[in-house]
Structures are given as C-alpha cells and as structure tokens.
Amino acid sequence: MATSLSKAYRETTLQLKHIIPLDFDSIHDLPESHEWATKDNLLSEKRDVLSIPVIDLNALDATELIRNACQKWGMFHLINHGIPLSLVEEAEEHARRLFGLPVERKLKALRSPSGATGYGVARISQFFSKLMWHEGFTIMGSAVEHAKELWPDEYEEFCDTMDNYQKKMKSLAYKILLVILKALEVDDQNQDQEMNICAPSSEGALQLNSYPCCPNPNRAIGLAPHTDSLLLTILHQNNTNGLQIFQEGIGWVPVPPVSGALVVNMGDLMHIISNASIPTVYHRVVPNETQHRFSIAYFYGPPTDSVIAPLSKFQIPCFRPVTLNEYISLKSKHLEKALPLLRI
C-alpha cells in the first residue's frame, strides 16, 4: 500500500533511462553514458586532518557535541546509538542478496516512471547529462509488493528485516531530532511547532544502495552531488569508502566508515526549521575499482501535510512556510534550486 510520502512523488514522471540501472555484470569498460568529466579532487592540504566528528549518544555533553557538529558539518558519526549490530548486518546481507540477483529478476521490481519505490537508479538522475554508477531499491512502508516479484516464495524474511530496521531507525531518528531541537533551544513557545515536526505519523523512507566495482572510477560518479530533502538521514555504510561531503573553501572531504557507527546528516527541512543555522549537507558518492560499496539510508521527515517553517524563536525568518508535499514537488522539479525558491 502506498504511503503518503510515496504519493507525494507521483506528479513527477521519469524516463526509463533515468530508472533502469546498468547490467553491471556485463560491463567491462566504462560506457560513454556514464563517463563524467574528471571529478574535482580534495582541494586542501588540510584534507588529512579533517574528519567528521564521532559522537557518543550517551555522552553527558552529547547535546553540545551534536549542536557543534550540526552547525559546522551538518553531519556526524553516531556511536552507542542503540541499533543492534546484528540487525544492521542482517539488513546489509539482504541488500547484498537483492543486488546479487540476475538483472532480469531485479527488473521485475523496477520502479514505475511516476513511482517512488522499487528497484532503480536514484531519482536525481534526471538532472544530470551523464548517468550514475549505481543501483538502488527504495522502500516506503512495506516492501511486500516488490519483494514478492523478487522472491515469490521466500519474501517474508526480507520484509520482516526491513520492517524491523525501519522501526528501529524511526525511533532513533526521533531521539536524534529531540536532541537537535534541544540544541536549538526550543522553548515552550515553540512547543506546537515542535509537536508538528515530531508527530507520530512522521514519514520515512529506506534506501538500499549498491555501487559495484567500476573499471574507471576516476571518470564515474556513484551518486551525483545533492542534498537530502527531509529532516535528517541515518546511513549505514559497509567497509568501503566512497561518501564525500563538500566544504566551502576546502572541497570534497571523505567520510570513511567508522566501525559500529552510523552517519547522521542534516537535510533541507532541518536547514529550514533552523533558519539556516544548520547547513544541509551537499554530498556525493564515488565508486571504487576493486571494492563493492553497499549502504542503507533511512530518511526521516514530518507528516506530508505538515507546514515546515523556521522555528518561531527566529524573529527574522529566512524561509517562507511550506508543506512537505509542496517541498517534494519543488525538489522534484528544481533539485538544488528548490531551497532558494523559499528564501524570503
């Protein structure tokens, strides 16, 4: 059954070339369709000392650490987050199993041109002239409909794992959001707005990602530069590098995996409610020649009919109010130009 969030994407229809991934097993050279100009390198000699902070959620000063990380980086590694390692490993194993299926089987679960869930390339593909070295599988709510196409007789275990993973991630995201609101010094005057953002009917999406070994990684992009649309994203990445974030005056900074940690990054809606005091993270993924990268991203946002605006503590708002439905529509049409359209 379609969720409110998946319905919000239906007004944007994509061409099949922006949905169907490559048959990576049959590719030995980088196709011209996937050959980008040489990627920007890391620009600063500081690159070796720059690193995303690692924060213990149970630390006494966690709120202050998260405030500083959000304002400087818009991202941090989180440890002691309460998500069982066994669940994370199980979810990754199911992702590997899915992406290891024959291409003709995976295409049975292909995302529809106006759909938001199922197998396919990231939806941002339409904004770029070159294609990405990536395949993904998006879940909003239950995965049963597409999982039955992949494993007609044995889909239950996959669905149960993904349901459990989403439930745990939603709970963690809510906890992180409360810490961030505390860091933003939300008071009683902001309580109604806070409850709107943290409503039990909050929306979420789970994205399984695969970046196969690439014959020419210096000329390819796994996931093109973008920001995430919702409030925050919680990412598990396997032990393969590839994630990078852009820092003004520095360039692309790598975010290597940290054992036992989850990556938390801020999205566009967090940028809005914080009145631009928390940056939305411009990031990308680069492929690897010898290692297959897998990641699992959980996107957390408010109910689709919620009105998002800078918290009332900010006397001079930078953005006009917008519903999540309206913002998804803007982002689907304008990508990185969506936020400037809301500027006052």
Side-chain angles (χ1 to χ4, degrees):
M1 184 175 69
T3 65
S4 297
L5 186 59
S6 64
K7 291 176 183 176
Y9 286 93
R10 286 183 176 173
E11 66 178 77
T12 303
T13 301
L14 303 182
Q15 298 177 19
L16 285 177
K17 71 175 182 178
H18 294 304
I19 302 174
I20 301 176
L22 278 177
D23 177 4
F24 293 101
D25 290 338
S26 68
I27 298 296
H28 303 291
D29 297 301
L30 186 67
E32 184 180 350
S33 57
H34 290 67
E35 187 173 339
W36 295 59
T38 303
K39 296 190 294 290
D40 297 329
N41 293 321
L42 307 183
L43 301 179
S44 173
E45 57 190 24
K46 298 178 183 178
R47 71 185 76 167
D48 294 330
V49 298
L50 285 171
S51 61
I52 306 305
V54 179
I55 299 175
D56 185 338
L57 186 57
N58 295 328
L60 294 177
D61 57 349
T63 300
E64 181 65 23
L65 293 172
I66 288 175
R67 176 195 292 115
N68 293 337
C70 286
Q71 292 177 343
K72 179 178 180 180
W73 294 97
M75 176 181 281
F76 53 90
H77 293 284
L78 190 67
I79 59 173
N80 284 328
H81 40 67
I83 306 298
L85 176 61
S86 58
L87 176 60
V88 176
E89 291 177 340
E90 185 179 354
E92 182 186 317
E93 185 56 38
H94 278 293
R96 289 175 178 269
R97 177 181 170 223
L98 187 159
F99 293 120
L101 291 171
V103 64
E104 60 271 14
R105 179 86 69 84
K106 289 185 285 190
L107 290 177
K108 291 181 180 293
L110 188 68
R111 190 175 72 236
S112 69
S114 60
T117 59
Y119 177 71
V121 178
R123 288 180 60 90
I124 62 172
S125 174
Q126 63 173 317
F127 294 99
F128 302 94
S129 59
K130 295 295 185 176
L131 301 177
M132 294 176 283
W133 195 264
H134 167 265
E135 56 181 338
F137 188 85
T138 308
I139 302 168
M140 296 181 185
S142 173
V144 168
E145 179 183 355
H146 288 110
K148 281 184 174 180
E149 297 291 341
L150 299 172
W151 303 285
D153 301 317
E154 48 182 31
Y155 60 88
E156 292 93 344
E157 186 179 351
F158 175 85
C159 294
D160 289 346
T161 299
M162 295 305 150
D163 287 347
N164 191 20
Y165 193 89
Q166 289 186 88
K167 180 180 178 181
K168 296 289 188 184
M169 285 295 165
K170 182 175 182 179
S171 177
L172 175 60
Y174 176 76
K175 186 182 298 185
I176 295 169
L177 178 59
L178 291 182
V179 174
I180 294 172
L181 289 173
K182 182 179 179 182
L184 289 171
E185 299 176 348
V186 172
D187 54 29
D188 292 341
Q189 294 179 344
N190 301 122
Q191 192 173 36
D192 290 344
Q193 190 176 5
E194 177 185 346
M195 293 309 294
N196 179 52
I197 296 168
C198 302
S201 56
S202 58
E203 296 283 355
L206 193 63
Q207 176 72 29
L208 313 181
N209 295 305
S210 163
Y211 307 93
C213 299
C214 180
N216 189 355
N218 291 327
R219 302 285 290 183
I221 285 287
L223 195 59
H226 67 288
T227 61
D228 292 341
S229 300
L230 302 184
L231 286 166
L232 60 87
T233 304
I234 304 175
L235 178 78
H236 161 68
Q237 48 183 347
N238 72 333
N239 59 355
T240 300
N241 292 333
L243 177 62
Q244 299 177 347
I245 66 170
F246 189 81
Q247 288 277 291
E248 287 292 339
I250 297 173
W252 290 103
V253 178
V255 185
V258 172
S259 179
L262 296 167
V263 178
V264 180
N265 72 269
M266 304 299 107
D268 297 347
L269 299 188
M270 187 68 75
H271 187 62
I272 293 173
I273 70 168
S274 71
N275 209 35
S277 63
I278 293 178
T280 183
V281 182
Y282 195 56
H283 58 286
R284 70 181 185 183
V285 175
V286 296
N288 190 291
E289 187 170 6
T290 59
Q291 292 182 291
H292 193 148
R293 175 181 167 85
F294 296 93
S295 68
I296 305 175
Y298 180 77
F299 304 99
Y300 180 78
T304 53
D305 58 355
S306 296
V307 177
I308 307 300
L311 295 167
S312 57
K313 63 170 284 184
F314 299 108
Q315 296 182 355
I316 304 176
C318 296
F319 303 98
R320 70 169 177 83
V322 62
T323 65
L324 177 54
N325 268 322
E326 182 187 358
Y327 187 69
I328 288 175
S329 177
L330 284 172
K331 190 76 177 281
S332 296
K333 296 172 183 174
H334 303 288
L335 197 59
E336 78 279 0
K337 297 177 182 178
L339 272 176
L341 292 173
L342 302 178
R343 279 276 183 176
I344 296 176

